[in-house]
């Protein structure tokens, strides 16, 4: 069981917000996002990279199931206030595509979060990739034990702009 108190504090969901989690399995974080969005009348979208459809019991989400690590997830442009890439970034065959799709689906000033088990990703490489895709103020923070968490922001009128 993960202690998600500090992780939860990163988010300040507002009524009508949309959050997207792109992951390989549902867990406590998926449930947390589902509950947060329900509490504010928001929308939770889930892109699940899994060979078999997983149970979404107790989770309120619009889910899409993707069966291979080269296929992109689907998301509308500027539709999300946060995108979480959890346990997927190191597995996806096209990291550039997943970053580009994340950028496109984020609203201005929204956050991208990359979360992987500790030691899997090269910290400097991920920070550089985030900068290359015009995400600003990338940081690596420790808020969930056993995980590296990178967070950056899509800024209005910077780089790729709108």
């Amino acid at each position: 069981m993960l202690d998600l108190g500090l992780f939860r504090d990163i988010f300040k969901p507002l009524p009508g917000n949309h959050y997207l989690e792109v992951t390989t399995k549902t867990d406590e974080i998926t449930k947390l996002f589902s509950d947060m969005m329900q509490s504010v009348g928001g929308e939770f979208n889930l892109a699940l990279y899994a060979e078999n459809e997983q149970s979404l019991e107790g989770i309120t989400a619009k889910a899409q199931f993707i069966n291979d690590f080269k296929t992109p997830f689907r998301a509308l442009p500027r539709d999300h206030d946060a995108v979480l890439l959890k346990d997927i970034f190191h597995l996806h065959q096209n990291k550039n595509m997943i970053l580009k799709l994340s950028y496109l689906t984020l609203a201005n000033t929204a956050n991208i979060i990359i979360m992987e088990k500790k030691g899997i990703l090269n910290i400097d490489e991920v920070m550089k990739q985030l900068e290359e895709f015009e995400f600003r103020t990338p940081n690596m923070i420790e808020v969930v034990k056993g995980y590296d968490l990178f967070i950056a922001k899509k800024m209005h009128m910077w780089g790729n702009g709108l």
Side-chain angles (χ1 to χ4, degrees), residues 57-124:
E57 188 174 324
I59 297 168
T60 303
K62 290 183 179 178
Q64 60 182 289
F65 296 91
I66 306 160
N67 62 5
D68 64 66
F69 293 113
K70 62 183 176 220
T71 302
F73 60 87
R74 295 178 317 278
L76 294 173
R78 295 190 199 133
D79 191 43
H80 292 93
D81 301 286
V83 171
L84 171 64
L85 306 174
K86 183 178 174 297
D87 295 327
I88 185 72
F89 196 69
H90 76 286
L91 294 172
H92 207 281
Q93 292 179 13
N94 193 340
K95 291 169 184 50
N96 290 343
M97 178 184 59
I98 210 166
L99 285 173
K100 183 176 182 175
L101 286 172
S102 296
Y103 188 92
L104 291 173
T105 194
L106 282 169
N108 291 319
T109 71
N111 290 320
I112 183 172
I113 299 102
I114 299 174
M115 188 172 179
E116 295 279 353
K117 291 205 182 336
K118 237 182 205 336
I120 289 178
L121 296 176
N122 178 313
I123 294 169
D124 293 332

